[in-house]
Amino acid sequence: MEVEKFDRQLRLMLLLTQNRSLSVENICQELCMSKRSIYRYIDAFRDMGFKVIKEGTRYRLDHDSPFFRSVTDKIHFSEDEAMTINQVLNAVYDNSPQIRHLRNKLQSLYDYKVLARHGVDDHIAHNLSVLYDAIRLERVVVLRKYVSPSSGKVSNRIVEPYLFLAENSEVRCYEIATGENKTFKISRARSIEMLDLLWMHKDQHTALYTDLFHFSGEEKMPVQLLLGPLASSLLIEECPNAELQMTLQPDGRHLLTTEVCSYKGVGRFVLGLFDDIEVVDSPEFEKYLHERVALLTQKFSE
C-alpha cells in the first residue's frame, strides 16, 4: 500500500514538473486519481518545501524548489544559461535527431516563453515564441504586416522558418511565393501566426553562414593567410574565435586557415595590413585582391 502511494506521489511530481500548468481535472484524467488525493498530495509537497505555483486553477512545481536544486545542482542551468544554450542550438542548421532531441529536452525543462525572451519587448518575445515552436514542429507561418526594409512596402509573407540569426533578432526562412531563402528581421512583423501546414520545401532550405569578418552567405570559400604579430593580435582582439583557426609557424607568424562568405571583409582586413599579411594557396582571393588594387590605383590616379 505504501509503495502504491509513493508511486502516485512520484507520478504526480513528474507530471507537475513537465513545464506546464495543469488543472486538477487534467491531473485526474492523466493519473486516474481522485481530486481529494491530488489536493492532499499538493499540500504535502508544499509542506515538504516544494514551491507550488498556482495560476488560476492550474498547478505546477517550480524547478527552483530546494529539493530539485539539491538533486540537479551540478546540471541545473539558470534561465540566462538556458537562453544561451537555446540560442546556440537555434543557430545550428541541423535537424538531426540528436539536435531535435536537445531542443525538445530544453523546452521540456524551461518555459519556451523564457527561452524566446528578447529583452523586455513583449512584441518581439511573442513573435520569437511562435517562431520557436514553428521551427521545432516544422510548420509554416505568416509574417503579418511585414515591413520591407528596401521598399517600405507592408505585406503578409508566408514562409517556412528554419534558422535563427543575429542573436535571435532575425530568422532565415524559405518564402513560398518566391521560392527563395531570405532573412527576415523579426521586429518588422506586426505579428506572426503559425499555420496548420507542415514544411513542404525542406530540401530547399539552405544554411546561412557568417565568417570571421562578419559577412554572411550560403556558400563558403577557403582562404589561407600568414599573419604577422600585429595582424594576429588585431584579428584575435576583434574576433576571439579566430584563434581556433590559427596555428603558430616556426618563424613566429600565425597561419590562418578559414572559410569566408565574401571576399569583402577579409579583403578589407588584408589591404589594411598588407605589409603584415601574406596570402597563401588562395588563388581566387589573390585575383580578387589584384582587381581591388587595380581599381584603387585607377581611382587615385585620375
Side-chain angles (χ1 to χ4, degrees), residues 146-163:
Y146 184 83
V147 181
S148 171
S150 54
S151 65
K153 182 181 177 181
V154 178
S155 60
N156 294 334
R157 315 289 281 270
I158 301 176
V159 300
E160 297 176 0
Y162 61 88
L163 179 66

Side-chain angles (χ1 to χ4, degrees), residues 81-97:
E81 290 169 333
M83 289 169 65
T84 300
I85 294 170
N86 189 62
Q87 286 181 354
V88 171
L89 289 175
N90 285 338
V92 174
Y93 182 65
D94 185 345
N95 280 310
S96 65

